[in-house]
C-alpha cells in the first residue's frame, strides 16, 4: 500500500517559503533539514499525521493554472484566509469560480496556488 509522504513545491526563495509554509501549516523543518541546503522537508510540529511538505530550491516558472495544488481544509475559512494573507499569501480571482464555492483560492508568496476549503458546508 502506498501513502503520500511528502508534497514537493519548487521555490526560488527558500527561507521565505520555509517561513510562510511553516507558519501556515504549523510545520517545522525536519531534523537535519536546513535553509543552507537547497531542500527543506517540513513536518507537522505537533507530530500529527499528514503529509510532509518539501521545499526544493529549483528555479521554475509558476504554471497558471497549476497542474496540481493543495486543498487545505478548515472549519474557520474566513479566519484562516485572513491569517494566511497576513503571512504573505494573496487572493486569486478566477472568473469560473462558482458564487457558492466552498473554497477560496490563494497563492503563496511566490505565486504557487492553493485553496482554503470550508469543511462546514
Amino acid at each position: 500500500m502506498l501513502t503520500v509522504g511528502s508534497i514537493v513545491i519548487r521555490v526560488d526563495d527558500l527561507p521565505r517559503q520555509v517561513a510562510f509554509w511553516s507558519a501556515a501549516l504549523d510545520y517545522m523543518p525536519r531534523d537535519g533539514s536546513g535553509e543552507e541546503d537547497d531542500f527543506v522537508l517540513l513536518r507537522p510540529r505537533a507530530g500529527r499525521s499528514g503529509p510532509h511538505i518539501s521545499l526544493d530550491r529549483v528555479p521554475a516558472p509558476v504554471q497558471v493554472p497549476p497542474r496540481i495544488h493543495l486543498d487545505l481544509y478548515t472549519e474557520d475559512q474566513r479566519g484562516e484566509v485572513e491569517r494566511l494573507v497576513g503571512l504573505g499569501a494573496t487572493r486569486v480571482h478566477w472568473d469560473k469560480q462558482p458564487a457558492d464555492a466552498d473554497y477560496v483560492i490563494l497563492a503563496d508568496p511566490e505565486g504557487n496556488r492553493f485553496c482554503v476549503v470550508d469543511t462546514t458546508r
Side-chain angles (χ1 to χ4, degrees):
M1 178 176 178
L2 296 173
T3 60
V4 176
S6 185
I7 299 162
V8 180
I9 301 172
R10 304 267 189 231
V11 303
D12 293 322
D13 187 336
L14 188 58
R16 178 175 70 171
Q17 292 292 81
V18 166
F20 175 80
W21 286 107
S22 294
L25 300 174
D26 194 26
Y27 274 34
M28 61 184 282
R30 181 183 71 183
D31 294 340
S33 181
E35 294 172 10
E36 66 278 354
D37 302 320
D38 288 337
F39 183 88
V40 173
L41 185 127
L42 300 175
R43 64 172 182 79
R45 181 176 309 280
R48 311 181 306 272
S49 63
H52 294 138
I53 299 291
S54 297
L55 303 174
D56 190 12
R57 186 185 350 233
V58 174
V62 172
Q63 183 172 339
V64 176
R67 294 184 60 117
I68 189 170
H69 69 270
L70 299 177
D71 279 350
L72 306 179
Y73 290 10
T74 182
E75 293 180 4
D76 179 17
Q77 184 183 56
R78 181 181 304 232
E80 286 298 325
V81 166
E82 185 177 305
R83 184 179 72 82
L84 292 165
V85 168
L87 292 173
T90 55
R91 288 180 175 264
V92 175
H93 174 75
W94 182 42
D95 290 335
K96 296 181 182 180
Q97 185 170 353
D100 64 345
D102 66 349
Y103 58 90
V104 173
I105 305 169
L106 297 177
D108 73 11
E110 290 190 1
N112 299 301
R113 294 183 180 185
F114 60 97
C115 292
V116 179
V117 180
D118 183 350
T119 60
T120 64
R121 292 189 191 191

